[in-house]
Amino acid sequence: MQAKSSYALSDQGIVTSAEIKWNLLTAPLVEEAVRNGEGSLAKDGPLVVATGKHTGRSAKDKFIVRDAETENTVWWGDVNRAMTPAHFAALKADFFAALGDRKQLYVADLYGGSQPEHRVKVRVINELAWHNLFIRTLLVRPERSELANFVPEYTIIDLPSFRNDAARYGGREGSDTIIAVNFTEKLILIGGTAYAGEMKKSVFGILNYLLPVKSVMPMHCSANIGPNGDTAVFFGLSGTGKTTLSADASRTLIGDDEHGWSDTAVFNFEGGCYAKMINLSAEAEPEIFATSKRFGTVLENVVMNPETRELDFDDNTLAENSRGSYPLDFIPNTSESNLGPVPKNIIFLTADAYGVLPPISRLSPDQAMYHFLSGYTARVAGTEIGVTEPSATFSTCFGAPFMPRHPSIYGNLLKERIAKGNVTCWLVNTGWTGGKATDPGIKRMPIKVTRALLNAALDGSLNGAQFRIDPNFGFEVPVAVAGIDPNMLDPRAAWADKNAYDETAAKLVKQFVDNFAQFVDHVDDAVREVMLTAA
């Protein structure tokens, strides 16, 4: 059954002869997707779709309209690229014309944010049924009774069939893709990509722009609650374990990706999860694996046997970034209200491919701000001929592509909230140990070790351990933890060649210092001192 809003598309200036399908539930949307040839049902019920050449975000094709609203509020540069109002007007006109030509459109009215006083009303208009199912799964779903009088504050229009015209719209030359954000008109246009994650990250960008003005901290993080009501927040870039480590059966999940930190709560921006599926196994990630066998889950770019409809999560033929989206309640022991108390612990996750960082370190508030602004992880180079070294990646606030304002605004908000709540901060390395990731025989940190150290940090027992000061970064590192090999805790000891470790560590420290130079004028003396210690 549809649930149509009294605020029609025509009230937004959209004139179309398309059949509008309003706020369909999961089953009808799956039926529509299969009927339209957009995807197929796998053996155990999930919808399997392919996104084509775009299997991840198109960061270089995203633009923000530069006008009186954004001139002095947006952090302009390589991340936040500018579009003129005139270019946006041309793009909007052509988008609206394209909507007029469609035979059918899917509309979902949703919330971004679970705490009522801090959420935003979002309308999403799609040409694909599975896209509408995806965004309905990922955002917060209003009660059906709320939909009749739903008036959106922001609107997202997503048309994968639309093509960029760089000369007309000011988009990137040679690209068919265009993503344009207009904070004045409260309108986001996405064209030329079928990757559904663009929609959810667009809502994240809206909240990252709006919430700091209200002194609410927007965060690219997962969050869960312990049995004693202690909330933990996990910051981390893709591949660091943010979703995996927060899906812990002994703790209540708030969410896996995007949250706000208000005076009274940590609240999920979303109503679903968006997990990596590559190499997924029941043994390593049982909670997430179980969602791949549920009707209502959408699997993107997961390889499926066309005859048996069985899934192969180890096959990366379609994408290394294969994904699954599913409602939050598909994970056992989740928060019914999508929120929890303000945090007791903050964990910064990094996958250090250099093998330099300890598996866990305790940070002071100033060190926490330093590492938050740095947003470090590392990728393993080696997919290109002749490249044998890992590459450092610094994404400020652990989510630079989604942060419209200057990073110091988010960093100062975080530091204030850490101090106010007496929060304990940890840096956890889920990367490699004993050498660089590209060295023969070097393996990634065992997830059992990471979980054991995290459990000790979250239950408070790790605070009673003996700590040493790391000579490279100045943070505190536990000397001994029950059940953990001491060599795991001291990365230098785990290296056979100590000189090679020292050289690699010095190289990584220099990369940190060079990257942080851009923030020196925006932080206080205590945070600058952290940089000098690292140097």
Side-chain angles (χ1 to χ4, degrees), residues 145-164:
S145 60
E146 297 178 87
L147 294 172
N149 297 310
F150 190 99
V151 178
E153 297 168 87
Y154 281 79
T155 299
I156 298 171
I157 304 174
D158 190 338
L159 302 177
S161 63
F162 190 93
R163 293 293 177 263
N164 172 48

Side-chain angles (χ1 to χ4, degrees), residues 18-91:
E19 180 184 2
I20 311 299
K21 302 191 176 184
W22 289 87
N23 293 305
L24 295 183
L25 299 176
T26 298
L29 284 170
V30 172
E31 288 178 348
E32 290 277 330
V34 173
R35 185 183 301 118
N36 297 343
E38 299 170 12
S40 303
L41 288 178
K43 177 182 176 182
D44 296 302
L47 179 68
V48 180
V49 299
T51 63
K53 69 177 182 178
H54 291 284
T55 60
R57 291 181 301 100
S58 301
K60 293 182 179 179
D61 295 308
K62 178 186 171 185
F63 300 86
I64 297 175
V65 176
R66 191 167 190 162
D67 57 15
E69 164 68 29
T70 58
E71 177 66 37
N72 298 314
T73 54
V74 167
W75 180 41
W76 300 108
D78 291 339
V79 172
N80 296 309
R81 298 172 177 84
M83 173 181 281
T84 68
H87 278 136
F88 184 85
L91 179 65

Side-chain angles (χ1 to χ4, degrees), residues 355-378:
V356 167
L357 295 178
I360 194 165
S361 311
R362 189 168 61 187
L363 308 177
S364 70
D366 294 313
Q367 289 170 336
M369 185 173 178
Y370 179 86
H371 284 276
F372 178 69
L373 289 176
S374 297
Y376 166 71
T377 193

Side-chain angles (χ1 to χ4, degrees), residues 360 362 426 453 456-467 478 480-481:
I360 194 165
R362 189 168 61 187
W426 307 90
L453 292 171
L458 298 181
D459 68 20
S461 61
L462 192 56
N463 284 315
Q466 179 185 350
F467 287 83
V481 178

Side-chain angles (χ1 to χ4, degrees), residues 435-471:
K436 291 179 289 189
T438 47
D439 292 342
I442 300 303
K443 296 182 178 180
R444 195 157 181 179
M445 198 77 65
I447 192 167
K448 288 184 178 179
V449 171
T450 302
R451 283 202 182 275
L453 292 171
L454 265 178
N455 289 340
L458 298 181
D459 68 20
S461 61
L462 192 56
N463 284 315
Q466 179 185 350
F467 287 83
R468 64 179 176 84
I469 301 300
D470 182 85

Side-chain angles (χ1 to χ4, degrees), residues 177-334:
T177 303
I178 185 80
I179 302 152
V181 180
N182 191 319
F183 284 112
T184 299
E185 296 191 27
K186 300 183 178 180
L187 178 63
I188 298 174
L189 306 175
I190 302 171
T193 173
Y195 178 67
E198 297 288 6
M199 291 182 285
K200 87 179 221 82
K201 290 306 183 186
S202 292
V203 177
F204 189 34
I206 291 169
L207 290 164
N208 283 334
Y209 184 75
L210 297 176
L211 292 182
V213 179
K214 302 169 70 175
S215 295
V216 176
M217 175 69 191
M219 303 177 291
H220 186 212
C221 70
S222 58
N224 62 25
I225 312 168
N228 296 320
D230 56 302
T231 297
V233 165
F234 301 76
F235 287 96
L237 298 170
S238 180
T240 58
K242 184 161 46 71
T243 297
T244 300
L245 293 171
S246 60
D248 183 335
S250 68
R251 296 176 66 86
T252 300
L253 182 68
I254 301 174
D256 80 325
D257 197 34
E258 299 163 3
H259 295 78
W261 181 355
S262 70
D263 288 337
T264 58
V266 167
F267 61 97
N268 195 349
F269 287 170
E270 303 181 311
C273 299
Y274 195 36
K276 274 198 168 189
M277 292 284 139
I278 195 70
N279 300 322
L280 183 69
S281 72
E283 294 73 30
E285 300 172 85
E287 293 86 5
I288 298 173
F289 185 83
T291 70
S292 70
K293 296 179 177 294
R294 295 283 299 270
F295 179 82
T297 291
V298 180
L299 299 176
E300 296 176 43
N301 303 314
V302 173
V303 174
M304 179 180 69
N305 184 305
E307 183 176 352
T308 66
R309 301 296 177 97
E310 293 179 341
L311 303 169
D312 186 350
F313 294 108
D314 296 325
D315 190 335
N316 65 355
T317 303
L318 296 178
E320 186 69 29
N321 187 38
S322 57
R323 292 273 179 171
S325 55
Y326 46 87
L328 189 66
D329 61 14
F330 277 18
I331 297 291
N333 195 22
T334 55

